Amino acid sequence: MRTNEIITIDLLATSDLHGQIGKSGISGNILKMATYVKHKRKANHHVLLLDNGGMLSGSMFAFYYAQIAPYKRNPMIKVMNEMQFDASGVSPDEFSFGLDFLNKSIALSRFPWLAANIEHSKTREPYFTTPYTIKYVDGIKIGIIGFTSSGLMENKNIEFEDEVMVGESMASAKRWVRYLHEKESPDFLIMLYHGGLNTYTDKNNYRSYYSNNAENMIKSTEGVNVIITGHQEHVVDLKVAETQFIQPGKNATNIVDMSIQFRKRTNSVEIIDTSIKHVEISSYPEDRDLLELTHFDQKAVQHWSEQNVVDIPVILDYKHLTDLYSKPHKYTECIQNSMSRAFSDADFICAQIGNPIGNGLRGELQVKDIYKSYVHTDKPVKIQLTGKEIKRILERTATALYKEDNTIKYNEETLEPTLMTVWKGFKYTIDLSKPVGNRVILHNIDLEKSFNVIMTDYLFRHVNKIISESTYERSKKTVIEYMIEELEETKGKFELEHDFEVI
């Protein structure tokens, strides 16, 4: 590169792709992104393609290759290798199917996965290769470093992995960004931060703020030119001081294209101009080479998802979430019976919904209908709880219920829908006229006695601070798989056996 020569680098950023390959019913997918990337590389040889993590879970396609056919090579990795991604961040959702699955995916990747604050639990060194990588583009030295929001990592599947732990993201950033500058002296530094911007946080609470605090990352670091954020639906470009924030959205609907012009000085590199485009890629055709590469992968998912589960009409639907929380419901019974398949010696079953925007099941059913009704990758676990602890968990559920005009309603701001519990194996009453914390009456249960309880690993992670039991037995199958088995056998015919009332 000659002195005073101007070099333009196109930084292309994606995030939260969620395994969106092929015709998935949404406007975008990664094969359309590939068409745009090829177009950019033809126009400019200096392209950096970065993903911010979140590609291995979050769709039926991803679920199939992680849980149903984990022995097959993950098509998302195949596609990203072919697209020549330069690096990826790490999302909390990458741990949804276990550390072994994630490590296998990383081993098959031709690009580094960067997460400085995901560490070996014993050595406290970064678990995934190096926490940063260096790219040379026509003499310009580009540093890329990755972090995962420690707030987002709370109550996630990573807590089941003894080998790894999560360091506080801002403290890790302060240490590692300084180290990178001192050791590498990059001309330009990009941070992959799998966490959102508090500016665009929908919920006004501490946990949400702690999870989406990208703006605070620059307060503890210096010399970061661009932060790529994620885990939020918003497509964003925002400049704070000298740092540019870009956020590509999710589900492979958008790609951020940031053009950066550099001028080479005698002993330095000067940034002379930047421009940003948010590219909505629904109108782009799917890349033909990648369509051919993933043809049989897509056929396999289609064949699995369209298998018949119930060939006679079933009625397990509901109109409102409150229908499930205010009185016994057959859809909840379906989930509870499905979970009971995981373990044979349970006293009680504690269920919660998997899809807060779903409406249960109705009609003849295929595998894809079951998946869509639950969505999440929860697995049953068996633990021991005392009667007191069961009451404590139910009191937590009762805080989100209230009466208005003699109608029972549910306040989502008090407790997330997926944390509302419905129990089977004993009768209980929730009396909304009583004060919070004293609303639940357990009938015929000794509060001092211990019981074998089946609940999901998701719920267990969220209640483990209010219970004493830390040991558990975890199923290898997900609730979705057990629901498929249960519905195949019962054809959706359920008797209401869970017994509770809300007054």
Side-chain angles (χ1 to χ4, degrees):
M1 179 174 169
R2 298 183 299 274
T3 301
N4 291 324
E5 181 183 4
I6 294 177
I7 299 295
T8 300
I9 296 177
D10 282 312
L11 168 60
L12 304 181
T14 65
S15 187
D16 299 279
L17 298 174
H18 293 317
Q20 297 293 355
I21 293 179
K23 295 175 175 62
S24 55
I26 61 171
S27 60
N29 66 57
I30 193 172
L31 305 190
K32 294 182 179 183
M33 282 185 170
T35 300
Y36 183 80
V37 172
K38 278 188 176 180
H39 166 75
K40 292 299 297 186
R41 285 194 171 123
K42 286 180 180 178
N44 180 12
H45 295 301
H46 305 317
V47 171
L48 279 176
L49 178 58
L50 303 177
D51 182 67
N52 200 27
M55 82 285 286
L56 294 179
S57 68
S59 67
M60 188 164 57
F61 197 97
F63 179 85
Y64 176 81
Y65 281 99
Q67 189 66 27
I68 306 302
Y71 50 88
K72 295 183 179 181
R73 187 172 182 178
N74 194 303
M76 276 299 292
I77 302 301
K78 287 198 297 186
V79 167
M80 293 177 74
N81 284 342
E82 289 298 313
M83 290 175 65
Q84 300 176 38
F85 272 79
D86 291 288
S88 174
V90 178
S91 158
D93 293 335
E94 251 73 80
F95 293 87
S96 294
F97 300 103
L99 188 58
D100 288 344
F101 172 75
L102 177 53
N103 280 332
K104 177 185 174 183
S105 300
I106 291 175
L108 294 172
S109 303
R110 297 188 204 130
F111 50 89
W113 295 59
L114 310 176
N117 61 317
I118 299 178
E119 304 166 344
H120 283 276
S121 55
K122 293 182 179 179
T123 66
R124 298 300 301 268
E125 293 295 317
Y127 187 85
F128 301 112
T129 63
T130 177
Y132 67 85
T133 188
I134 299 294
K135 293 287 181 179
Y136 291 91
V137 182
D138 206 347
I140 299 173
K141 190 175 185 180
I142 309 290
I144 307 163
I145 189 166
F147 301 91
T148 304
S149 166
S150 47
L152 284 177
M153 280 292 192
E154 288 185 355
N155 301 321
K156 294 290 184 177
N157 275 286
I158 192 171
E159 295 182 1
F160 288 109
E161 306 294 347
D162 294 333
E163 292 182 36
V164 291
M165 64 177 297
V166 181
E168 205 283 322
S169 45
M170 283 193 286
S172 297
K174 184 176 182 179
R175 180 173 73 254
W176 276 105
V177 169
R178 181 186 298 168
Y179 174 85
L180 192 156
H181 274 293
E182 291 175 352
K183 188 174 189 295
E184 304 288 354
S185 299
D187 298 313
F188 193 83
L189 180 57
I190 302 167
M191 178 187 292
L192 300 173
Y193 174 69
H194 199 94
L197 290 146
N198 188 253
T199 306
Y200 296 92
T201 298
D202 297 325
K203 294 182 179 179
N204 186 24
N205 57 52
Y206 173 76
R207 185 171 183 273
S208 184
Y209 176 80
Y210 182 48
S211 300
N212 301 291
N213 60 353
E215 296 94 331
N216 287 336
M217 293 293 281
I218 61 170
K219 295 179 181 179
S220 58
T221 60
E222 294 182 1
V224 178
N225 299 96
V226 175
I227 297 181
I228 301 172
T229 60
H231 210 79
Q232 292 175 321
E233 294 183 357
H234 308 84
V235 179
V236 175
D237 63 87
L238 173 72
K239 194 159 188 179
V240 179
E242 298 301 313
T243 302
Q244 180 71 52
F245 292 82
I246 55 177
Q247 185 164 283
K250 58 171 57 176
N251 289 327
T253 56
N254 291 269
I255 188 169
V256 174
D257 185 345
M258 181 176 182
S259 179
I260 312 158
Q261 285 189 336
F262 298 88
R263 178 183 284 124
K264 179 73 173 182
R265 297 298 189 186
T266 304
N267 296 310
S268 63
V269 171
E270 177 188 4
I271 303 167
I272 59 174
D273 192 27
T274 61
S275 62
I276 297 174
K277 290 191 298 183
H278 298 286
V279 183
E280 201 279 318
I281 53 86
S282 63
S283 61
Y284 285 84
E286 294 174 318
D287 180 81
R288 290 184 178 181
D289 293 333
L290 294 184
L291 270 175
E292 183 177 350
L293 179 70
T294 61
H295 174 76
F296 291 106
D297 301 318
Q298 296 193 52
K299 284 290 186 183
V301 177
Q302 182 181 6
H303 174 74
W304 172 75
S305 68
E306 293 179 354
Q307 290 181 39
N308 291 326
V309 178
V310 183
D311 56 5
I312 58 174
V314 303
I315 302 175
L316 298 172
D317 60 337
Y318 56 90
K319 291 184 178 180
H320 306 289
L321 288 175
T322 313
D323 297 342
L324 305 180
Y325 306 145
S326 59
K327 57 187 176 181
H329 196 283
K330 287 187 177 181
Y331 180 69
T332 313
E333 188 84 38
C334 174
I335 296 174
Q336 291 167 331
N337 289 359
S338 301
M339 291 172 63
S340 70
R341 289 175 169 267
F343 305 100
S344 59
D345 56 344
D347 298 303
F348 307 139
I349 302 167
C350 173
Q352 92 279 345
I353 64 166
N355 183 4
I357 59 172
N359 291 106
L361 294 163
R362 190 180 184 92
E364 298 178 12
L365 303 176
Q366 294 181 327
V367 165
K368 61 185 177 184
D369 301 312
I370 317 302
Y371 174 86
K372 291 175 183 176
S373 81
Y374 198 91
V375 175
H376 288 292
T377 59
D378 305 344
K379 294 180 178 180
V381 297
K382 184 176 71 172
I383 62 172
Q384 279 205 337
L385 296 177
T386 65
K388 282 183 179 179
E389 290 170 324
I390 292 170
K391 185 177 186 297
R392 196 174 299 150
I393 295 170
L394 262 170
E395 290 286 5
R396 193 166 178 253
T397 294
T399 61
L401 298 173
Y402 66 100
K403 270 189 176 181
E404 186 176 278
D405 298 329
N406 211 32
T407 301
I408 297 168
K409 295 190 175 182
Y410 159 65
N411 185 355
E412 187 174 333
E413 294 299 316
T414 302
L415 191 64
E416 294 176 15
T418 52
L419 296 177
M420 296 286 288
T421 61
V422 179
W423 293 71
K424 180 177 180 178
F426 61 91
K427 183 178 180 179
Y428 60 94
T429 301
I430 298 176
D431 186 347
L432 299 182
S433 67
K434 303 293 185 181
V436 169
N438 195 32
R439 292 179 166 181
V440 175
I441 303 168
L442 305 184
H443 302 285
N444 301 319
I445 285 188
D446 185 343
L447 295 183
E448 303 301 326
K449 186 178 177 181
S450 291
F451 303 92
N452 286 329
V453 174
I454 299 176
M455 63 173 56
T456 65
D457 53 358
Y458 172 81
L459 184 62
F460 175 57
R461 295 193 306 269
H462 281 80
V463 301
N464 63 6
K465 292 181 181 178
I466 62 171
I467 61 177
S468 59
E469 184 58 64
S470 60
T471 59
Y472 58 88
E473 187 179 348
R474 191 183 188 203
S475 168
K476 291 183 179 179
K477 290 183 180 180
T478 60
V479 174
I480 293 169
E481 292 166 89
Y482 284 122
M483 287 179 69
I484 293 169
E485 292 178 5
E486 178 71 15
L487 286 161
E488 282 178 333
E489 184 176 312
T490 64
K491 302 301 180 185
K493 303 296 184 182
F494 297 104
E495 297 296 330
L496 287 176
E497 296 178 355
H498 61 294
D499 188 6
F500 73 97
E501 61 178 345
V502 182
I503 59 175

